[in-house]
Amino acid sequence: MKLKTWQKTFLSMLCIVGAGCILFNLAFILAYLVHITCGMVMSSLGQRLGNARALYFSWHYVYLFFILLLSWAVFRTRLSDLGKAAFSTMPLIVILTEVGIQFYRWPVLVWAIGASIVGAVLLYLYKTKRSWMYYFAVIYVVAVEVLLTLSGTEI
């Protein structure tokens, strides 16, 4: 049985949403692991050097670097557009969530920076003539973030 174009499109959308849900949870597990690891390293160094406060470094920056490095590696593989679009949900949700965490005291700034990031991603996708799947992944992530924000969900 051969699938029609609309059926393939619908299945691709389902794959992106399903993989996105799994990757969102994986991203939060990775955030926890980075948080714990950074805490142990900073505590150990602080005890050895005698001044833990001077060594304080936000684990969020280490986490963002790790996610961006992982993303760079994945996007350089021969993965299909569907696989890359599905994976792209993770770095985008992480970046938008980190913006929300870092600037939560200034909601206007959160919305402005978030919109700028999404706009830059969409412009990049347009300029590089990417598949519709990447656009769908961006719209999906934005919808999830907006719903979480408007519902008052806290991390």
Side-chain angles (χ1 to χ4, degrees), residues 126-137:
Y126 176 76
K127 289 287 189 184
T128 57
K129 296 178 171 74
R130 299 294 176 171
S131 167
W132 66 269
M133 290 181 268
Y134 293 98
Y135 292 94
F136 177 78

Side-chain angles (χ1 to χ4, degrees), residues 50-124:
N51 190 357
R53 282 246 189 247
L55 291 174
Y56 177 76
F57 185 78
S58 179
W59 64 272
H60 292 275
Y61 301 117
V62 175
Y63 176 57
L64 274 175
F65 177 77
F66 176 73
I67 292 295
L68 293 174
L69 186 63
L70 178 65
S71 300
W72 176 79
V74 168
F75 289 130
R76 295 189 49 86
T77 65
R78 292 184 181 212
L79 204 57
S80 68
D81 277 341
L82 176 60
K84 288 179 181 179
F87 180 82
S88 72
T89 60
M90 186 174 76
L92 188 55
I93 197 100
V94 167
I95 290 169
L96 293 176
T97 301
E98 286 294 333
V99 167
I101 290 169
Q102 297 299 320
F103 298 102
Y104 72 94
R105 292 182 180 166
W106 305 284
V108 172
L109 203 53
V110 171
W111 288 96
I113 294 171
S116 299
I117 290 168
V118 170
V121 168
L122 290 173
L123 181 63
Y124 172 78

Side-chain angles (χ1 to χ4, degrees), residues 17-35:
V17 169
C21 288
I22 293 167
L23 289 168
F24 295 168
N25 288 306
L26 180 62
F28 286 111
I29 291 168
L30 287 172
Y32 174 74
L33 293 174
V34 169
H35 173 68

